[in-house]
Every structure is written in structure tokens, then in C-alpha cells.
Amino acid sequence: MREQQTHKEGQNAGEQNAGGQSSERPRTRTARHDIIARIKSLYAFLIFCGLGVTASFVWIIAISPTVRHNAAVMESGIYRFSDIEAHRGTIFSREGEPLAISSLRYDILLDFGSQGIIEADTAAYFKHTDALSRLLAAHFSKADAEENGYKYISEAEYRKMFAKEWNRKEKKRRAYKILPRTITIDEWNMMKRNYPIFNGNIGYVYKTQAGDKRLYPSGDIARQTIGRYDTIVVDGKKVPGTGLEGLFNDHLAGRNGCSKEQWIAHGFWTRVADKKNRPVENGANIITTIDAGLQRMAHARLDTMLRRQNGSFGVAMVMEVKSGNMLCIVSLGSGAERGTTYSERVNNHALSTAISPGSTMKLASAMALLEIGGYDLYTTVNTEHSRPNHPVKIGAAKIEDSHDAAGKDSDGNVTLKDGFAHSSNVYFAKAIYERFKDNPKEYTDFLAKLRFNDYIGLEAYGERKGKLPMADTPEWNKRGSTSSRLPRMAYGYELDVPPIHMLTFYNGVANEGRMVAPRFVDRIERDGEVVEYTPVVTLIDKMCSNKTLALLDSCLAAAAERSDRYFRDLAVPFGCKTGTAQMWSTFVSESRIDKAQMRDGINGKQDNYYYGSMICTMPQENPKYTIMVAVCKQATPSHPTYFGIDLAGPVAADIMEYIYANDPTLHATIDKAAEPYAPESIKDGKTNHVATIGKLAHKIDDSSEGESWSRVVVEEQEVKISGLKIESGKVPDVRGMGLSDALYILEQAGLKVSHRGSGRVKSQSLAPGRGISENMKIELLLER
């Protein structure tokens, strides 16, 4: 066939060539050709449209900022990411009592645009909201508003608010917090049961929002140590700024979670799954060294003393000798009117108020004299019978004692031990001046090694650095000279240190010369497991020689013997030193009088401010605790007392009594008897009671056979117990019993009992076994 087609094409070509021109005639355009052309045009148009649509998609998705913005707005209107607040950790006392805790609280959002309210009948709506207004105004009362610090909302104001929302157009109705403060789960459960609308009587129209509220169960107790929460603004956010709340915020705060939420109705969102969701990590717990019971007791005793003495501020602290654990640290400052209100929130005077320590500094002076001064306990100094209004000139200073330490019949010479016990200013001023006047740098360098011009490791807690003038600096001669500074420095003037520094110094002496930093936190825990322990920080390995420490211990014991009028009932020996210093510096106070005095300048005699303190170590041998109490006050005609023993002594005595009562290791032990002791006789009575006492004997024969009451016979270290039956309706036999058991049995039987004598029942007026009639009386005769 291909050959025939080729032959035909050749023939046609030949015919065309033979004639010299084409013989092909014009082709006729058929319907088929039109259809094909139109299809091609349609294809081209569709391809062009597809390219346009594709380009538009590319523009919309990848290029157009407007479209991206609108898409983001739409996405955010449907979905959002919300933080899940972490539960803040708890701060505990050493025995597990919460000092600062986060409690779950609820905000209630009432959605006035919800379907339930929109479809509610007008009369029913106002009936329910009127009742709700009355209940809310009663629950969130004026007293509650004052206690919790929010503005009180009256019943009329609630009604006005509900009416205003009802009169809005449906699209403008809002969902907002209806309650004036957050509420507890118990409050919310009560409202859901008893309050209209909240109980669902017009549908589910509210939403609860949970959150933490920081609570301090013990109120003002230990607040300076615990610190304050949400007090400082950092990068526009409130963060804890003081005390443990601030220092350990990273541990306490935990880590917030994150959750994607989808909008489901006006004012309501629900969580949805998303790879960006992050679980919440709750905060860790801080276990402090604070003994809550001791802290509470010391707070109360110090508060009482400040009120009684019209004081300006006071501190009370207890430190464990070996560990440096602060078992209690109280810092109370006066309110606007002295003698009325005292609070921990005024200032942390224990750490941040630097003050002249007074006579408690004599322990450091005694250490210098014994360690580098060549003194011993019996080195004498002539105090020249100094007493009030009989000063002794030492160098350029005139110094007097509160009483004649030597005694009027002596030659005026006093030993170091007696000078310490009598707290003689003249003794230490003379001794220090005579020994170090040619080289005062030796003395100030010794004090500097004891960190009196440095921190003791509590800078983060707001500790103020000690201020000690050094003899080799230009400052030394700015206010006087060696002849005036050195004698006064010997008994606690010319330098300023915070109270906790003196406590730490005394604790170092009690701790065999090892000074450790005060310690407030024992450990950090998460879910019951220890995350981190707080180490004991050693500030000075050895403050002085063991020989000097032993001599200082004798000085402290001697001072305690002279300061015993407030400690006579204390069953354990102790060492101590009192101090009284006239105030020369200013301090933080809310007191109206103190502020006026400090505005004029507290500069000594005309203002009569005194700082009375006492530092004790107990027990006297192998001390376990160091206690310090200090009170600052203005001596006035109505409140003239200012000596440290009278201001701080009673509070220190109460603290030491509490420690003794609660620490069994301080109590004397009783050796067990070589042989068991059996009582000569045992009263008849309850079987379990007499059996317990009978076990003290060598042998016990218990044949009570399950009876509740028994008779007891004691024969030569053998106790025999036999059961005693009590028959209903018959007079019981109570002979041999004590009065309480006899009264119980007879009155239970229906008898009216009278008795004479004391001891055990010897006889009874009605014979045992006799029938009992109504209003029958019985008389008992008791003998020892």
C-alpha cells in the first residue's frame, strides 16, 4: 500500500512539473477546522488564567505584606498562645512550718454576651442579679475590703453595674471580672451552690481564672528575713526584691508553661494541642534555718519590752554555734508613735543599722590584750575608783565607770577578769591605751583581722559593712588622735558595726575560735528531693589561740555571775556580756519623735539615745547557742532605763528558758537504777493502769482475766493483780481505790457520793453487793 501511495505522489508531482504550475485547488474550511481553532484558543486562555492565578497565589503567600498582616490578625483572633503561671515555691521553717506560701486563688469572669444571659427573660435577669448584688455586697463587706486592701462595692453599685450591662446592645456586651478580689476554692464552691447566676440557673455564663497569691501565714514573723515579693520593677515587670524571696527567686519562681488556645465563644478559650506547648515547672521549696516557735516567742518578748520602754527599735537573734544557723532573727522598728506599734517591716536593723556596740566590744579588747598584749586574767590596772561624776583622764579622753569596780576599801587595782565582769570602761581604756599607744596600728590591725571593718558574708541580704578607723590612714586623725580615739575604741566607741556582726564575733569565740558566717537557708528541695545544700561558710579558721579562748571563756562566765538577776531560774550555766552605748548615729525609723530628732542630728547627750545589748553563750561549757538581744531607746523622765542588762536581759532570759525547755540535750540525764524499783503498794483501779505500774517490779502475776477493774497486792517485789467484777444494780466494792476511780464507778452505778479524808478508800458506808435503789447515798472514808 505504501508503494501505491508513493507511486501516486510521484504521478501527481510529475503532472505538476509537466504543466509548469500547480494543479492544487484551494481547500474548503470545514466545521472541524473551526472547532480545533476554538479549542486551541480556549487552551491558551486557560493557560494564561492559570498563570495569573498562580502568580496571585505566589504574591499573596510570599510577597504581599497586607495579606500576611490580615492572615496574622485572623489567626490571632482564633488562636493565641497563653502563659501558664508556675506555682511559686514555699519557704519553710526548719521544722516544716510554712513561712511564705502561694495559695491558689480564682478570678471570676461573668460574660454578659453569653447565650444564657442574652436569652434570659428581663424580669428573671433582674430578679437574679438583685439577689446576687445583695449576696456579693454582704460577702465582700467593708471589713473584708479594709483587711484585704480593695475598694468596697455596695449593693446599689452592683445593681447599677448589672443594669448597665443589660442595656448594652448584644454585640457590645462584655466579659469581665465581677468580684472585687480573688477568692479561694472554698469561697467559689460556696458561691456555686448558693449564689444565683453562679449556680447555673440561666446557663453557663462565667469563666474561672486561677492564679497564685503569696501569703505569709505567720504575718509579721521573720518578714525581714523572708523578704518581700513583687516590690521592684525590672524591665517593666514586678519581681521580688528583698530577703529570701529576692535572693532565691530563680528557684522559687519555677518556669511558666505555654499553651496554644482556640477561641470558642465570646470571652472563652480552650487549650489545643501544638508542638510549641510547654509544660509548667513549679518552683522549688526553700528550707530555712529559722525555728518558727523560737522566732515567734522572741518576737513577742521583744515587742513587749519595746512597748514597756517606749523604744525606737530592737533586735533578737539566736545562732547555732557550729553551723552558724540562724534559729531566729527579729528586727522590730517603731511605728509613728513610739510605745504602741512595732513592725518587722520598718528596717532590718540587725543587718543594716551600723552602731557603736558599747561594752560588748570589751571581749575583742580582752582578746587583743591576752593574745598580743602580754596580759593574763590577773593583770591589774588601777581604775582610780572611777564612778559616775568621777572620771579618769586617759590620754586626751575623760572616762568614767558606772560603779567603782575595785570597791571603796581597795587600792583601786582591778584584774582583767574582774574588769570584764564589772564592765569597767576605765580598765580597758587604760589597758589598751598604755599597751598600744606607741603602735595603735597593731591594735586596729588585730580588730581588722576579726572583720570589724568588713562584711561577714551577708551583703546580698543588705548587710552594712563595719566601719573601723585604721591607725595608718588619714581618717585616723580627722576627729581627734590616738590619745582620744584609742581609749574610747577599747570599750566600744569610735567604730560602727551592725548587731549581727557582734553576734557572729561572739559565736566565733564560742566555736573554738572558728568564725562562721550566719546561715539562713539549709537546703532547696523540689518534689521532696534535695536540689542544693547551702554550705557552712568559714570566715576565719582561728581567731586566736586555744589558751586565749579558755581565758575569754572564764571572763564570760564571770560576767554571767554578776548578771544573774534575770537568770536565776535558768537551769543551765552560761556566759555573757552586756553593753550600753550612747547613740551618736542616725537610724531608719517611722517614729515621729525619732525623725524630728534625727533631722536635728542625734549627737549625744542632749538627745539621750542609748543602745543596750546583751550577748550570751549557752551552755557555758561546749556552747551550743549564741543569743543576742539589743534595744535602742531614748532615755526620758517617763522611761529613764537605758542599761543593757535591764533592756536586753529580760528578753534574753526568756529566750534562753525557751531554748532550754525545747532542747533535751541541755537537760541533765538520770542514770538507770541498778535494780528495778517496785512500789510498796498500788491502788486498785483500771487494770491497764495498775499493770503498767506493776511492771516496775521483779515479777508480776496478772490474773485479771479481761476485767476492766482490778485489785492489786504487792508482796516482796511481786505484784499480784486480780480482776474485780462490777455487777449492775449492786453496790460496787471500791475499797483500796483512789478517789477518782471510786467516784467514777459509784456514780456510774447511780449512787450519790460524799467523802472524807484523802488517799485511798478505806471504808464505804454501803456494803458491797447490796441492791441499789433510787437516790441512794454512799459515804467514803479515805486514808493515806
Side-chain angles (χ1 to χ4, degrees):
M1 184 173 179
R2 180 176 178 79
E3 290 177 354
Q4 290 177 356
Q5 182 177 358
T6 304
H7 175 75
K8 186 175 181 180
E9 288 176 352
Q11 186 177 359
N12 290 337
E15 290 176 353
Q16 181 178 352
N17 292 335
Q21 59 182 6
S22 175
S23 61
E24 182 178 358
R25 293 189 295 272
R27 297 180 180 178
T28 305
R29 189 173 182 84
T30 64
R32 181 172 176 272
H33 290 102
D34 290 340
I35 292 172
I36 291 173
R38 291 178 181 178
I39 290 173
K40 288 179 179 180
S41 299
L42 181 60
Y43 279 166
F45 175 75
L46 292 176
I47 291 171
F48 178 78
C49 290
L51 291 173
V53 171
T54 302
S56 298
F57 280 150
V58 172
W59 171 259
I60 291 171
I61 294 172
I63 301 174
S64 174
T66 302
V67 172
R68 285 205 307 272
H69 172 74
N70 292 335
V73 171
M74 182 177 293
E75 175 75 9
S76 65
I78 300 174
Y79 296 99
R80 70 179 183 186
F81 280 94
S82 178
D83 284 341
I84 306 172
E85 186 177 358
H87 188 73
R88 190 170 179 81
T90 300
I91 299 176
F92 288 102
S93 69
R94 69 186 313 192
E95 65 272 20
E97 179 178 329
L99 302 175
I101 189 170
S102 290
S103 178
L104 198 61
R105 292 290 190 271
Y106 294 90
D107 273 319
I108 309 302
L109 280 76
L110 191 59
D111 185 11
F112 291 94
S114 63
Q115 198 69 23
I117 290 182
I118 290 173
E119 295 177 354
D121 177 74
T122 301
Y125 173 83
F126 281 103
K127 175 184 176 182
H128 295 320
T129 55
D130 285 352
L132 182 60
S133 298
R134 183 176 63 258
L135 292 169
L136 291 177
H139 185 80
F140 301 101
S141 62
K142 291 182 179 179
D144 185 77
E146 183 177 348
E147 180 181 348
N148 292 282
Y150 64 87
K151 183 181 177 182
Y152 171 69
I153 303 175
S154 67
E155 180 182 346
E157 289 173 315
Y158 278 116
R159 288 182 176 180
K160 184 178 179 180
M161 178 177 58
F162 286 128
K164 182 178 179 181
E165 290 302 321
W166 179 259
N167 293 328
R168 289 180 186 272
K169 293 182 180 180
E170 290 182 7
K171 292 184 178 181
K172 292 186 177 182
R173 291 184 179 179
R174 305 170 297 169
Y176 62 89
K177 296 175 183 177
I178 193 69
L179 306 182
R181 64 165 172 82
T182 57
I183 57 175
T184 65
I185 185 62
D186 291 335
E187 287 178 301
W188 178 228
N189 287 335
M190 180 274 293
M191 290 179 183
K192 286 195 295 183
R193 289 193 306 269
N194 303 325
Y195 286 20
I197 297 181
F198 289 157
N199 63 10
N201 58 356
I202 59 172
Y204 191 82
V205 299
Y206 57 82
K207 177 188 177 184
T208 58
Q209 288 184 341
D212 275 353
K213 181 178 181 181
R214 201 64 169 168
L215 301 175
Y216 300 92
S218 297
D220 220 25
I221 302 298
R223 283 304 300 276
Q224 283 292 344
T225 303
I226 297 167
R228 289 172 172 79
Y229 179 57
D230 286 350
T231 56
I232 293 178
V233 177
V234 177
D235 296 332
K237 295 182 178 180
K238 288 184 178 181
V239 297
T242 63
L244 300 178
E245 291 275 29
L247 291 174
F248 292 88
N249 181 57
D250 290 343
H251 292 285
L252 288 166
R255 184 180 179 219
N256 287 347
C258 181
S259 176
K260 188 175 184 179
E261 295 181 341
Q262 181 179 352
W263 184 83
I264 57 172
H266 182 69
F268 293 88
W269 299 76
T270 187
R271 294 177 184 175
V272 296
D274 191 274
K275 63 181 181 180
K276 294 182 180 179
N277 287 354
R278 183 179 68 247
V280 66
E281 183 179 316
N282 291 326
N285 297 327
I286 305 298
I287 314 300
T288 70
T289 62
I290 298 295
D291 183 316
L294 178 59
Q295 178 82 23
R296 195 173 288 110
M297 188 279 301
H299 183 111
R301 297 297 189 273
L302 183 62
D303 181 84
T304 300
M305 177 58 70
L306 288 168
R307 291 172 189 270
R308 184 183 303 157
Q309 295 294 339
N310 201 37
S312 295
F313 71 81
V315 299
M317 298 176 284
V318 178
M319 189 175 184
E320 264 186 347
V321 169
K322 299 299 181 185
S323 64
N325 288 345
M326 294 301 298
L327 303 187
C328 100
I329 176 167
V330 183
S331 179
L332 294 177
S334 171
E337 298 298 327
R338 287 190 322 213
T340 55
T341 303
Y342 292 88
S343 171
E344 276 255 358
R345 303 176 191 229
V346 176
N347 186 48
N348 196 341
H349 294 288
L351 273 70
S352 60
T353 298
I355 203 166
S356 296
S359 292
T360 54
M361 190 66 187
K362 289 171 184 172
L363 187 68
S365 295
M367 183 185 288
L369 291 170
L370 294 168
E371 185 75 4
I372 63 175
Y375 277 52
D376 60 32
L377 290 184
Y378 302 101
T379 303
T380 61
V381 168
N382 192 341
T383 60
E384 304 179 33
H385 297 287
S386 176
R387 55 195 183 277
N389 301 318
H390 288 77
V392 175
K393 188 173 182 181
I394 305 170
K398 290 184 177 181
I399 298 169
E400 64 184 34
D401 283 337
S402 61
H403 64 280
D404 183 358
K408 62 180 181 179
D409 297 328
S410 71
D411 59 1
N413 285 305
V414 176
T415 65
L416 187 151
K417 184 177 180 180
D418 286 341
F420 190 90
H422 286 267
S423 196
S424 172
N425 298 334
V426 172
Y427 182 97
F428 284 95
K430 262 193 175 184
I432 292 295
Y433 181 67
E434 293 297 332
R435 171 60 181 81
F436 296 105
K437 65 182 178 180
D438 296 329
N439 185 12
K441 184 177 183 299
E442 185 180 9
Y443 179 64
T444 57
D445 283 352
F446 184 82
L447 296 183
K449 289 179 181 178
L450 300 176
R451 302 179 74 95
F452 281 104
N453 65 340
D454 203 350
Y455 296 103
I456 55 169
L458 302 177
E459 303 95 310
Y461 290 88
E463 176 203 358
R464 188 171 175 183
K465 184 179 180 180
K467 185 179 180 181
L468 170 71
M470 301 298 293
D472 58 346
T473 63
E475 181 190 5
W476 182 257
N477 293 319
K478 279 185 179 180
R479 289 192 315 160
S481 62
T482 296
S483 62
S484 61
R485 277 185 177 257
L486 200 58
R488 288 173 55 78
M489 192 179 291
Y491 62 99
Y493 288 96
E494 299 292 333
L495 75 160
D496 294 320
V497 292
I500 200 167
H501 198 133
M502 294 306 299
L503 175 76
T504 304
F505 168 67
Y506 272 71
N507 194 79
V509 173
N511 193 22
E512 300 177 343
R514 177 173 172 248
M515 182 188 286
V516 296
R519 186 168 175 261
F520 294 99
V521 173
D522 180 63
R523 63 192 183 277
I524 302 170
E525 292 184 352
R526 186 187 299 279
D527 298 327
E529 296 185 0
V530 176
V531 175
E532 180 182 326
Y533 278 105
T534 304
V536 176
V537 177
T538 300
L539 301 172
I540 303 174
D541 287 319
K542 197 70 173 176
M543 300 163 67
C544 59
S545 66
N546 289 335
K547 178 182 177 181
T548 297
L549 290 170
L551 298 178
L552 293 176
D553 186 55
S554 297
C555 289
L556 291 168
E561 291 177 5
R562 283 193 51 81
S563 308
D564 69 341
R565 66 177 178 269
Y566 294 112
F567 302 89
R568 288 172 185 150
D569 294 332
L570 187 63
V572 59
F574 66 98
C576 78
K577 184 69 190 79
T578 59
T580 305
Q582 193 163 13
M583 287 280 293
W584 294 76
S585 56
T586 59
F587 54 88
V588 175
S589 178
E590 292 183 353
S591 163
R592 177 179 52 82
I593 297 175
D594 291 341
K595 285 181 178 180
Q597 298 284 13
M598 284 185 279
R599 188 165 53 246
D600 297 335
I602 295 179
N603 52 10
K605 293 184 178 179
Q606 65 266 36
D607 294 317
N608 285 328
Y609 276 87
Y610 288 90
Y611 174 74
S613 62
M614 185 171 193
I615 307 178
C616 307
T617 58
M618 69 175 291
Q620 197 265 324
E621 292 185 11
N622 299 318
K624 190 174 181 181
Y625 305 99
T626 307
I627 301 98
M628 180 177 185
V629 178
V631 172
C632 171
K633 62 160 293 186
Q634 188 177 25
T636 61
S638 59
H639 298 87
T641 303
Y642 61 87
F643 283 110
I645 184 62
D646 297 312
L647 295 177
V651 180
D654 287 340
I655 291 174
M656 292 167 74
E657 286 280 4
Y658 181 94
I659 292 173
Y660 177 77
N662 288 276
D663 186 353
T665 65
L666 299 178
H667 301 174
T669 57
I670 301 175
D671 296 331
K672 291 184 178 180
E675 295 184 1
Y677 166 79
E680 295 179 359
S681 64
I682 303 174
K683 292 178 183 178
D684 301 340
K686 276 278 189 182
T687 301
N688 58 339
H689 294 170
V690 298
T692 299
I693 299 172
K695 290 177 182 177
L696 297 173
H698 278 294
K699 184 178 180 182
I700 181 171
D701 180 10
D702 187 352
S703 57
S704 57
E705 298 179 351
E707 294 291 342
S708 297
W709 300 90
S710 293
R711 294 198 180 283
V712 189
V713 177
V714 180
E715 296 179 350
E716 296 181 355
Q717 289 284 310
E718 182 178 358
V719 176
K720 297 180 179 180
I721 302 175
S722 57
L724 176 63
K725 287 189 176 183
I726 306 296
E727 297 184 52
S728 178
K730 294 184 178 180
V731 175
D733 186 357
V734 297
R735 290 171 297 182
M737 293 186 181
L739 180 61
S740 60
D741 286 339
L743 285 175
Y744 176 81
I745 292 174
L746 295 173
E747 289 178 350
Q748 285 288 316
L751 296 167
K752 294 183 178 181
V753 186
S754 61
H755 58 87
R756 292 182 291 115
S758 61
R760 69 177 69 199
V761 178
K762 182 177 182 181
S763 63
Q764 56 188 67
S765 61
L766 298 179
R770 177 180 172 178
I772 299 174
S773 59
E774 190 175 354
N775 296 324
M776 183 176 283
K777 297 180 180 178
I778 185 171
E779 183 180 17
L780 304 179
L781 176 63
L782 290 83
E783 284 188 1
R784 291 192 178 278

